[in-house]
Amino acid sequence: MEKIRLFQEVFGQMPTLDVSAAGRINLIGEHVDYCGGLVMPASLNLCCRVIARRNGTHFVNVYADDLKVTATLDLNDLEAARSLGWGKYQAGVLDVMKKAGARLVGCDLYYSCSVPFGSGLSSSAAIEVATAVAMYELTGEAYDLKETAVLCQKAENEFCGVNCGIMDQFASAMGKKDSAILLNCKTLACEYIPFALGKYELIVANCNKPHALVTSKYNERRQEVEEALSLLKREVPEASCLADISPARFEEAKHVLSGKILDRATHVVYECARVKEAADALKAGDIRSLAALINASHDSLSKLYEVTGKEPDALAYAARETEGCIASRMIGAGFGGCTISLVEKGKTEAFKEAVGKKYAKETGYMAAFYDTSIEDGVKVKHL
Ligand code: GLA
């Protein structure tokens, strides 16, 4: 109710719509979505909520309730919003929707986002998906959530300059309560697996190191794996992406690679194989095996893909040394952000305290721990 009242304070009218799109965690399958690999994300209770009404103009006013600022986007000149900080993601989505032939209407949008920014929990995807869904619901146009995810990814690639894969937008749009999504990023086929961790609980922790250069380093990794693929094609001409190459085939062909390019490709090929095993383990309730794969994923991201950095490593390793914890790894793009840990139920409070202390001692940063649950990705309520 509180946010509805605040909407009225900001925009002077009653809203008609309340939608939200989720942030996500990723159990395993990191930095493989843009290589056509399998990933296993799940949508969180942390989400981007948008409260909205049509305003009868050709302007879209986007208000951020944490920053307390409004950006005004002109539907006839969305390009002008490219240089914005706040408002750019929304403009990107509207621009791509417009180019795809969707009807757009002027509206007032009130954003309240509980996904921490820059945390590796996909606040940008949550903003994008919530914006698209709000616009479709305001115009009454029919839409498909899978297509909406693809459209939002396109906005981030083309309008915001982040060459991201599909995982985040897909998880935000297609997530289901208490389910992990086993997503094939080459075909976009997906399967839901019950998110059942037996006697363990999932703990999300933020290393709270302000991350720099994520976009440039992320785009650099993408170039490196594209280079790896083009070299490997000499040996494996039938491969259309790195995920097409099995570990056995990779071992025969990898002599065409060297140095960092070899390391990057090794991460991708083996991470893809780990996701398959992890899916089987989760389905079988074999959480110990899942944990070993999650740990191996982090070690590979740290040593071969080099996207963790001092703080995410310190946080993951402090977790693993702590009583009751059987797995911990960095999630998302890296260079900061969050970890997930599997911790025995009943030991989670002591875990948070011990890890927080160890991590602060080692890095000087205070970790944050979130109360999370796995919820539906998109929620829509007409008021
Ligand atoms: C970011 C991107 C995703 C994915 C992850 C790494 O979150 O947006 O597409 O590549 O990094 O797995």
Side-chain angles (χ1 to χ4, degrees), residues 261-335:
I261 302 296
L262 172 61
D263 288 349
R264 309 302 189 232
T266 305
H267 165 76
V268 172
V269 168
Y270 283 89
E271 181 78 352
C272 289
R274 279 190 286 271
V275 181
K276 286 189 192 136
E277 285 182 50
D280 291 341
L282 184 61
K283 284 179 194 166
D286 178 2
I287 308 306
R288 284 265 165 197
S289 298
L290 176 67
L293 293 159
I294 287 175
N295 288 335
S297 170
H298 181 94
D299 298 345
S300 176
L301 289 164
S302 173
K303 297 196 173 62
L304 297 175
Y305 218 66
E306 295 181 293
V307 289
T308 55
K310 182 177 172 215
E311 291 76 15
D313 277 342
L315 191 55
Y317 295 129
R320 279 194 222 168
E321 286 160 11
T322 303
E323 155 84 19
C325 175
I326 56 166
S328 189
R329 76 172 196 89
M330 173 216 102
I331 58 168
F335 308 105

Coordinates of all heavy atoms in Angstrom, one line a residue, residues 261-335:
I261 N 43.7 -17.9 -24.1 CA 42.6 -18.4 -24.9 C 42.3 -19.9 -24.6 O 41.1 -20.3 -24.6 CB 42.9 -18.2 -26.4 CG1 43.2 -16.7 -26.7 CG2 41.8 -18.7 -27.3 CD1 42.0 -15.8 -26.5
L262 N 43.3 -20.6 -24.4 CA 43.1 -22.0 -24.0 C 42.4 -22.1 -22.6 O 41.5 -22.9 -22.4 CB 44.5 -22.8 -23.9 CG 44.5 -24.2 -23.4 CD1 43.6 -25.1 -24.2 CD2 45.9 -24.7 -23.3
D263 N 42.8 -21.3 -21.7 CA 42.2 -21.3 -20.4 C 40.7 -21.0 -20.5 O 39.9 -21.6 -19.8 CB 42.9 -20.3 -19.4 CG 44.3 -20.7 -19.0 OD1 44.6 -21.8 -19.2 OD2 45.0 -19.8 -18.5
R264 N 40.4 -19.9 -21.2 CA 39.0 -19.5 -21.3 C 38.1 -20.6 -21.9 O 37.1 -20.9 -21.4 CB 38.9 -18.3 -22.2 CG 39.8 -17.1 -21.9 CD 39.6 -16.6 -20.5 NE 40.4 -15.3 -20.3 CZ 41.3 -15.0 -19.4 NH1 41.5 -15.9 -18.4 NH2 41.9 -13.9 -19.4
A265 N 38.6 -21.2 -23.0 CA 37.8 -22.3 -23.6 C 37.7 -23.5 -22.7 O 36.7 -24.1 -22.7 CB 38.5 -22.7 -25.0
T266 N 38.8 -23.8 -22.0 CA 38.7 -24.9 -21.1 C 37.6 -24.7 -20.0 O 36.8 -25.6 -19.7 CB 40.1 -25.1 -20.3 OG1 41.1 -25.2 -21.3 CG2 40.1 -26.4 -19.5
H267 N 37.6 -23.5 -19.5 CA 36.5 -23.2 -18.5 C 35.1 -23.5 -19.2 O 34.3 -24.2 -18.6 CB 36.5 -21.7 -18.1 CG 35.2 -21.3 -17.4 ND1 34.9 -21.8 -16.1 CD2 34.1 -20.6 -17.8 CE1 33.7 -21.3 -15.8 NE2 33.2 -20.6 -16.8
V268 N 34.9 -22.9 -20.4 CA 33.6 -23.0 -21.0 C 33.2 -24.5 -21.2 O 32.1 -25.0 -20.9 CB 33.5 -22.2 -22.3 CG1 32.2 -22.5 -23.0 CG2 33.6 -20.7 -22.0
V269 N 34.1 -25.2 -21.8 CA 33.8 -26.6 -22.2 C 33.5 -27.5 -20.9 O 32.5 -28.2 -20.9 CB 34.9 -27.3 -23.0 CG1 34.8 -28.8 -23.1 CG2 35.0 -26.6 -24.4
Y270 N 34.3 -27.3 -19.9 CA 34.1 -28.2 -18.7 C 32.9 -27.6 -17.8 O 32.2 -28.4 -17.2 CB 35.4 -28.3 -17.9 CG 36.3 -29.3 -18.6 CD1 37.2 -28.9 -19.5 CD2 36.2 -30.7 -18.3 CE1 38.0 -29.8 -20.2 CE2 37.0 -31.6 -18.9 CZ 37.9 -31.2 -19.9 OH 38.7 -32.1 -20.5
E271 N 32.7 -26.3 -17.9 CA 31.5 -25.8 -17.1 C 30.2 -26.3 -17.7 O 29.3 -26.7 -17.0 CB 31.6 -24.2 -17.1 CG 30.4 -23.6 -16.4 CD 30.6 -23.5 -14.9 OE1 31.5 -24.2 -14.3 OE2 29.8 -22.9 -14.2
C272 N 30.2 -26.4 -19.1 CA 29.0 -26.9 -19.7 C 28.7 -28.4 -19.3 O 27.6 -28.8 -19.0 CB 29.1 -26.9 -21.2 SG 29.0 -25.2 -21.9
A273 N 29.8 -29.1 -19.2 CA 29.7 -30.5 -18.8 C 29.2 -30.6 -17.3 O 28.4 -31.4 -16.9 CB 31.0 -31.2 -18.9
R274 N 29.7 -29.7 -16.5 CA 29.3 -29.7 -15.1 C 27.9 -29.4 -14.9 O 27.2 -29.9 -14.0 CB 30.1 -28.6 -14.3 CG 31.5 -29.0 -13.9 CD 32.2 -28.0 -12.9 NE 32.6 -26.8 -13.6 CZ 33.8 -26.6 -14.1 NH1 34.7 -27.6 -14.1 NH2 34.1 -25.4 -14.7
V275 N 27.3 -28.5 -15.7 CA 25.9 -28.2 -15.6 C 25.0 -29.4 -15.8 O 24.1 -29.7 -15.1 CB 25.4 -27.0 -16.5 CG1 24.0 -26.7 -16.3 CG2 26.3 -25.8 -16.3
K276 N 25.4 -30.2 -16.8 CA 24.6 -31.5 -17.1 C 24.7 -32.4 -15.8 O 23.6 -32.9 -15.4 CB 25.2 -32.2 -18.3 CG 24.9 -31.6 -19.6 CD 25.4 -32.5 -20.7 CE 25.3 -31.7 -22.0 NZ 26.5 -31.8 -22.9
E277 N 25.8 -32.5 -15.3 CA 26.0 -33.4 -14.1 C 25.2 -32.8 -12.9 O 24.6 -33.5 -12.1 CB 27.4 -33.5 -13.7 CG 28.3 -34.4 -14.5 CD 29.7 -34.5 -14.0 OE1 29.9 -34.8 -12.8 OE2 30.6 -34.3 -14.8
A278 N 25.2 -31.5 -12.8 CA 24.6 -30.8 -11.7 C 23.0 -31.0 -11.8 O 22.4 -31.1 -10.8 CB 24.9 -29.3 -11.7
A279 N 22.5 -30.9 -13.0 CA 21.1 -31.1 -13.2 C 20.7 -32.5 -12.8 O 19.7 -32.7 -12.1 CB 20.7 -30.8 -14.7
D280 N 21.5 -33.5 -13.1 CA 21.2 -34.9 -12.7 C 21.3 -35.0 -11.2 O 20.4 -35.6 -10.6 CB 22.2 -35.8 -13.3 CG 22.0 -35.9 -14.9 OD1 20.9 -35.6 -15.3 OD2 22.9 -36.4 -15.5
A281 N 22.3 -34.3 -10.6 CA 22.4 -34.4 -9.2 C 21.2 -33.8 -8.4 O 20.7 -34.3 -7.5 CB 23.7 -33.7 -8.7
L282 N 20.8 -32.6 -8.9 CA 19.7 -31.9 -8.3 C 18.4 -32.7 -8.4 O 17.7 -32.9 -7.4 CB 19.5 -30.5 -8.9 CG 18.4 -29.6 -8.3 CD1 18.7 -29.3 -6.8 CD2 18.2 -28.3 -9.0
K283 N 18.2 -33.3 -9.6 CA 17.0 -34.1 -9.8 C 17.0 -35.3 -8.9 O 16.0 -35.8 -8.4 CB 16.9 -34.7 -11.2 CG 16.5 -33.6 -12.2 CD 16.5 -34.2 -13.6 CE 16.4 -33.1 -14.7 NZ 16.7 -33.6 -16.0
A284 N 18.2 -35.9 -8.6 CA 18.3 -37.1 -7.8 C 18.4 -36.8 -6.3 O 18.5 -37.6 -5.4 CB 19.6 -37.9 -8.2
G285 N 18.4 -35.5 -6.0 CA 18.6 -35.1 -4.6 C 19.9 -35.3 -4.0 O 20.1 -35.4 -2.8
D286 N 20.9 -35.5 -4.9 CA 22.3 -35.7 -4.5 C 23.0 -34.4 -4.3 O 23.8 -33.9 -5.2 CB 23.0 -36.6 -5.6 CG 24.4 -36.9 -5.3 OD1 24.9 -36.5 -4.2 OD2 25.1 -37.6 -6.1
I287 N 22.8 -33.8 -3.2 CA 23.3 -32.4 -2.9 C 24.8 -32.3 -2.7 O 25.4 -31.4 -3.1 CB 22.5 -31.7 -1.8 CG1 21.0 -31.9 -2.0 CG2 22.9 -30.3 -1.6 CD1 20.5 -31.3 -3.3
R288 N 25.4 -33.4 -2.2 CA 26.8 -33.5 -2.1 C 27.5 -33.4 -3.4 O 28.5 -32.7 -3.6 CB 27.2 -34.8 -1.4 CG 26.9 -34.8 0.1 CD 28.2 -34.4 0.8 NE 27.9 -34.0 2.2 CZ 28.8 -33.3 2.9 NH1 29.9 -32.9 2.5 NH2 28.5 -33.0 4.2
S289 N 27.0 -34.1 -4.4 CA 27.6 -34.0 -5.8 C 27.4 -32.7 -6.4 O 28.3 -32.1 -7.0 CB 27.0 -35.1 -6.7 OG 27.3 -36.4 -6.2
L290 N 26.2 -32.1 -6.2 CA 25.9 -30.8 -6.7 C 26.9 -29.8 -6.1 O 27.5 -28.9 -6.8 CB 24.5 -30.4 -6.3 CG 24.1 -28.9 -6.6 CD1 24.0 -28.7 -8.2 CD2 22.7 -28.6 -6.0
A291 N 27.2 -29.9 -4.8 CA 28.1 -29.0 -4.1 C 29.5 -29.1 -4.7 O 30.2 -28.1 -4.9 CB 28.1 -29.4 -2.6
A292 N 30.0 -30.3 -5.0 CA 31.3 -30.5 -5.5 C 31.4 -29.8 -6.9 O 32.4 -29.1 -7.2 CB 31.7 -31.9 -5.7
L293 N 30.3 -29.8 -7.6 CA 30.3 -29.2 -9.0 C 30.3 -27.6 -8.8 O 31.0 -26.9 -9.6 CB 29.1 -29.7 -9.8 CG 29.2 -31.1 -10.2 CD1 27.8 -31.7 -10.5 CD2 30.1 -31.4 -11.3
I294 N 29.5 -27.2 -7.8 CA 29.5 -25.7 -7.6 C 30.9 -25.2 -7.2 O 31.3 -24.2 -7.7 CB 28.4 -25.4 -6.5 CG1 27.0 -25.6 -7.1 CG2 28.6 -24.0 -5.9 CD1 25.9 -25.5 -6.1
N295 N 31.6 -25.9 -6.3 CA 32.9 -25.5 -6.0 C 33.9 -25.5 -7.2 O 34.7 -24.6 -7.3 CB 33.5 -26.4 -4.9 CG 32.8 -26.2 -3.5 OD1 32.3 -25.1 -3.3 ND2 32.7 -27.2 -2.7
A296 N 33.8 -26.6 -8.0 CA 34.6 -26.7 -9.2 C 34.4 -25.5 -10.1 O 35.3 -25.0 -10.8 CB 34.4 -28.0 -9.9
S297 N 33.1 -25.1 -10.2 CA 32.7 -24.0 -11.0 C 33.5 -22.7 -10.6 O 34.1 -22.0 -11.4 CB 31.2 -23.8 -11.0 OG 30.9 -22.5 -11.6
H298 N 33.4 -22.4 -9.3 CA 34.1 -21.2 -8.8 C 35.6 -21.3 -9.1 O 36.2 -20.3 -9.5 CB 33.9 -21.0 -7.3 CG 34.6 -19.8 -6.8 ND1 33.9 -18.6 -6.7 CD2 35.9 -19.6 -6.4 CE1 34.8 -17.7 -6.3 NE2 36.0 -18.3 -6.1
D299 N 36.2 -22.5 -8.8 CA 37.7 -22.6 -9.0 C 38.0 -22.3 -10.4 O 39.1 -21.7 -10.7 CB 38.1 -24.0 -8.5 CG 37.8 -24.2 -7.0 OD1 37.5 -23.2 -6.3 OD2 37.9 -25.3 -6.6
S300 N 37.2 -22.8 -11.3 CA 37.5 -22.6 -12.8 C 37.3 -21.1 -13.1 O 38.1 -20.5 -13.9 CB 36.5 -23.5 -13.6 OG 36.7 -23.3 -14.9
L301 N 36.3 -20.5 -12.6 CA 36.1 -19.0 -12.8 C 37.2 -18.2 -12.3 O 37.6 -17.2 -12.9 CB 34.8 -18.5 -12.2 CG 33.5 -19.1 -12.8 CD1 32.3 -18.9 -11.9 CD2 33.2 -18.3 -14.1
S302 N 37.8 -18.7 -11.2 CA 38.9 -17.9 -10.6 C 40.2 -18.2 -11.3 O 40.9 -17.2 -11.7 CB 39.0 -18.4 -9.1 OG 40.1 -17.9 -8.5
K303 N 40.5 -19.4 -11.6 CA 41.8 -19.7 -12.2 C 41.9 -19.7 -13.7 O 42.9 -19.2 -14.3 CB 42.3 -21.1 -11.7 CG 42.4 -21.1 -10.2 CD 43.2 -22.2 -9.6 CE 43.4 -22.1 -8.1 NZ 42.2 -22.0 -7.4
L304 N 40.8 -20.1 -14.4 CA 40.9 -20.2 -15.8 C 40.2 -19.0 -16.5 O 40.7 -18.5 -17.5 CB 40.2 -21.5 -16.3 CG 40.9 -22.8 -15.9 CD1 40.1 -24.0 -16.3 CD2 42.3 -22.9 -16.4
Y305 N 39.1 -18.6 -16.0 CA 38.3 -17.6 -16.6 C 38.7 -16.2 -16.1 O 38.5 -15.2 -16.7 CB 36.8 -17.8 -16.5 CG 36.1 -17.4 -17.8 CD1 36.3 -18.1 -19.0 CD2 35.2 -16.4 -17.8 CE1 35.7 -17.8 -20.2 CE2 34.6 -16.0 -19.0 CZ 34.8 -16.7 -20.2 OH 34.2 -16.3 -21.4
E306 N 39.3 -16.2 -14.9 CA 39.8 -15.0 -14.2 C 38.8 -13.9 -14.2 O 39.0 -12.8 -14.7 CB 41.1 -14.5 -14.9 CG 42.2 -15.5 -14.8 CD 43.5 -15.1 -15.4 OE1 43.6 -15.0 -16.6 OE2 44.5 -14.8 -14.6
V307 N 37.6 -14.2 -13.6 CA 36.6 -13.2 -13.4 C 36.1 -13.0 -12.0 O 35.1 -12.3 -11.7 CB 35.3 -13.5 -14.3 CG1 35.6 -13.3 -15.8 CG2 34.8 -14.9 -14.0
T308 N 36.9 -13.6 -11.0 CA 36.5 -13.4 -9.7 C 37.1 -12.2 -9.0 O 36.4 -11.2 -8.7 CB 36.8 -14.7 -8.8 OG1 38.2 -15.0 -9.0 CG2 36.0 -15.9 -9.3
G309 N 38.4 -12.3 -8.8 CA 39.1 -11.2 -8.1 C 39.2 -11.5 -6.6 O 38.6 -12.4 -6.1
K310 N 39.9 -10.6 -5.9 CA 40.3 -10.9 -4.5 C 39.1 -11.1 -3.6 O 39.0 -12.0 -2.8 CB 41.2 -9.7 -4.0 CG 41.6 -9.9 -2.6 CD 42.5 -8.7 -2.2 CE 42.8 -8.9 -0.7 NZ 42.9 -7.6 0.0
E311 N 38.1 -10.2 -3.7 CA 37.0 -10.2 -2.7 C 36.1 -11.4 -3.0 O 35.7 -12.1 -2.0 CB 36.3 -8.9 -2.8 CG 37.0 -7.7 -2.2 CD 38.1 -7.2 -3.1 OE1 38.1 -7.5 -4.3 OE2 39.0 -6.4 -2.6
P312 N 35.6 -11.6 -4.2 CA 34.7 -12.8 -4.4 C 35.4 -14.1 -4.0 O 34.8 -15.0 -3.4 CB 34.4 -12.8 -5.9 CG 34.6 -11.4 -6.3 CD 35.7 -10.8 -5.4
D313 N 36.8 -14.2 -4.3 CA 37.5 -15.4 -3.9 C 37.5 -15.5 -2.3 O 37.2 -16.6 -1.8 CB 39.0 -15.3 -4.4 CG 39.1 -15.8 -5.8 OD1 38.2 -16.5 -6.3 OD2 40.1 -15.5 -6.5
A314 N 37.8 -14.4 -1.7 CA 37.9 -14.4 -0.2 C 36.6 -14.8 0.4 O 36.5 -15.6 1.3 CB 38.3 -13.0 0.3
L315 N 35.5 -14.3 -0.2 CA 34.1 -14.6 0.4 C 33.8 -16.1 0.2 O 33.3 -16.7 1.1 CB 33.1 -13.7 -0.3 CG 31.7 -13.6 0.3 CD1 31.7 -13.3 1.8 CD2 30.8 -12.6 -0.5
A316 N 34.1 -16.6 -1.0 CA 33.7 -18.0 -1.3 C 34.6 -18.9 -0.5 O 34.1 -19.9 0.1 CB 33.9 -18.3 -2.8
Y317 N 35.9 -18.6 -0.4 CA 36.7 -19.5 0.4 C 36.5 -19.4 1.9 O 36.5 -20.4 2.6 CB 38.2 -19.3 0.0 CG 38.5 -19.7 -1.5 CD1 39.1 -18.9 -2.4 CD2 38.0 -20.9 -2.0 CE1 39.3 -19.2 -3.7 CE2 38.2 -21.3 -3.3 CZ 38.8 -20.5 -4.2 OH 39.0 -20.8 -5.5
A318 N 36.2 -18.2 2.4 CA 35.8 -18.1 3.8 C 34.6 -19.0 4.1 O 34.5 -19.6 5.1 CB 35.6 -16.7 4.2
A319 N 33.6 -18.9 3.2 CA 32.4 -19.7 3.3 C 32.7 -21.2 3.4 O 32.3 -21.9 4.3 CB 31.4 -19.4 2.2
R320 N 33.5 -21.6 2.4 CA 33.8 -23.1 2.4 C 34.5 -23.6 3.6 O 34.4 -24.8 3.9 CB 34.7 -23.4 1.1 CG 33.8 -23.5 -0.1 CD 34.7 -24.1 -1.2 NE 34.5 -23.4 -2.4 CZ 35.3 -23.6 -3.5 NH1 36.3 -24.4 -3.4 NH2 35.1 -22.9 -4.6
E321 N 35.3 -22.7 4.3 CA 36.0 -23.2 5.5 C 35.1 -23.2 6.7 O 35.6 -23.6 7.8 CB 37.2 -22.2 5.8 CG 38.3 -22.3 4.8 CD 39.2 -21.0 4.8 OE1 39.0 -20.1 5.7 OE2 40.1 -20.9 4.0
T322 N 33.9 -22.7 6.5 CA 33.0 -22.5 7.7 C 32.1 -23.8 7.9 O 31.6 -24.3 7.0 CB 32.2 -21.2 7.5 OG1 33.1 -20.2 7.4 CG2 31.3 -21.0 8.8
E323 N 32.0 -24.1 9.2 CA 31.2 -25.3 9.6 C 29.8 -25.2 9.0 O 29.1 -24.2 9.0 CB 31.1 -25.1 11.2 CG 29.9 -25.7 11.9 CD 30.2 -27.2 12.1 OE1 31.4 -27.6 12.1 OE2 29.2 -27.9 12.3
G324 N 29.4 -26.4 8.4 CA 28.1 -26.5 7.9 C 28.0 -26.1 6.4 O 27.0 -26.4 5.8
C325 N 29.0 -25.5 5.8 CA 29.0 -25.1 4.4 C 29.6 -26.2 3.5 O 30.8 -26.5 3.8 CB 29.7 -23.8 4.3 SG 29.8 -23.3 2.5
I326 N 28.9 -26.6 2.5 CA 29.5 -27.6 1.6 C 29.9 -27.1 0.2 O 30.5 -27.8 -0.6 CB 28.6 -28.9 1.5 CG1 27.2 -28.5 1.0 CG2 28.5 -29.6 2.8 CD1 26.4 -29.7 0.5
A327 N 29.4 -25.9 -0.1 CA 29.8 -25.3 -1.4 C 29.6 -23.8 -1.4 O 28.7 -23.3 -0.7 CB 28.8 -25.9 -2.5
S328 N 30.5 -23.1 -2.1 CA 30.3 -21.7 -2.3 C 30.9 -21.2 -3.6 O 32.0 -21.7 -4.0 CB 30.9 -20.9 -1.1 OG 30.6 -19.6 -1.2
R329 N 30.3 -20.3 -4.3 CA 30.9 -19.8 -5.5 C 30.3 -18.5 -5.9 O 29.2 -18.1 -5.5 CB 30.6 -20.8 -6.7 CG 29.3 -20.8 -7.3 CD 29.2 -21.6 -8.6 NE 28.0 -21.3 -9.3 CZ 28.0 -20.4 -10.2 NH1 29.0 -19.6 -10.5 NH2 26.8 -20.1 -10.9
M330 N 31.1 -17.7 -6.7 CA 30.7 -16.5 -7.2 C 29.6 -16.7 -8.3 O 29.7 -17.7 -9.0 CB 31.9 -15.8 -7.8 CG 31.7 -14.6 -8.6 SD 32.7 -14.5 -10.1 CE 31.6 -14.9 -11.3
I331 N 28.7 -15.8 -8.4 CA 27.7 -15.9 -9.4 C 27.6 -14.6 -10.3 O 28.0 -13.5 -9.8 CB 26.2 -16.2 -8.9 CG1 25.8 -15.1 -7.9 CG2 26.2 -17.5 -8.3 CD1 24.3 -15.2 -7.6
G332 N 27.2 -14.7 -11.5 CA 27.0 -13.5 -12.4 C 28.3 -13.2 -13.1 O 29.2 -14.1 -13.3
A333 N 28.4 -12.0 -13.6 CA 29.5 -11.5 -14.4 C 30.9 -11.6 -13.7 O 31.9 -11.9 -14.3 CB 29.3 -10.1 -14.9
G334 N 30.9 -11.3 -12.4 CA 32.1 -11.3 -11.6 C 32.7 -10.0 -11.4 O 32.1 -9.0 -11.5
F335 N 34.0 -10.0 -11.0 CA 34.7 -8.8 -10.6 C 34.1 -8.1 -9.4 O 34.1 -6.9 -9.4 CB 34.9 -7.9 -11.8 CG 35.4 -8.5 -13.1 CD1 34.5 -8.8 -14.1 CD2 36.7 -8.9 -13.1 CE1 35.0 -9.5 -15.2 CE2 37.2 -9.5 -14.3 CZ 36.4 -9.8 -15.3

